[in-house]
Amino acid sequence: MNLAEKIRTLRVEKGLKQEELAELVGTKRWSINQYENGIQRPHKKTLIALAAALGVDADLLGNDEAELHTDEEIIDRFGADIKEKYGEDAKKGFKKMVLNNRPMFAGGLMPEQDRDKFIEAVAVTYLKFCELSIEKYGKVMIDDDTGE
């Protein structure tokens, strides 16, 4: 994934408009548009500000060879174990729980490597919840509306 794709992917994942990202970075919307369309590359200072606003390491963002994982990819990776052990509904519940807590790492509050560890910890905890739920109720207890 190149720099332009990473910037767009991370901005959209965080629910930011180009104007909002530009404000966080201290630049103009048209600059963000130029970066996302691969027309222009940001200067180092701007790249560092973009990385901070998007919650990733500047080296990861600027390196076209470095792999970037979206929330969805990480959730699916851990969700596969949950699905295998407890079924599709349990996986959906886990995914909904993580996505509903996305504000915890929106806007760069949680760097990507910490986000991965957080989602992994949630997955481990969710698996334990599933085990205890089966012991107590004979099935995984998931609220259809909340995923809890």
Side-chain angles (χ1 to χ4, degrees), residues 44-96:
K44 186 172 182 173
K45 182 179 174 184
T46 305
L47 180 67
I48 292 168
L50 277 166
L54 296 170
V56 296
D57 183 86
D59 291 332
L60 172 74
L61 186 61
N63 181 351
D64 289 346
E65 301 300 316
E67 192 173 336
L68 175 70
H69 300 284
T70 65
D71 289 350
E72 294 288 336
E73 291 171 331
I74 296 165
I75 290 167
D76 286 344
R77 185 176 70 218
F78 292 112
D81 289 341
I82 293 170
K83 179 181 177 180
E84 183 180 317
K85 292 180 181 177
Y86 301 105
E88 183 65 30
D89 287 344
K91 178 186 174 189
K92 287 178 184 175
F94 166 71
K95 181 176 182 176
K96 192 169 190 174

Side-chain angles (χ1 to χ4, degrees), residues 3-42:
L3 175 63
E5 294 167 328
K6 288 178 184 179
I7 293 171
R8 182 188 312 262
T9 298
L10 290 166
R11 177 184 59 78
V12 169
E13 186 174 278
K14 294 192 177 299
L16 296 170
K17 295 179 182 174
Q18 287 183 341
E19 296 85 8
E20 294 168 325
L21 179 58
E23 188 175 318
L24 289 170
V25 172
T27 192
K28 304 286 185 197
R29 186 203 61 79
W30 65 265
S31 293
I32 300 298
N33 185 278
Q34 297 273 308
Y35 305 150
E36 288 186 358
N37 287 301
I39 297 167
Q40 186 177 24
R41 282 187 72 91

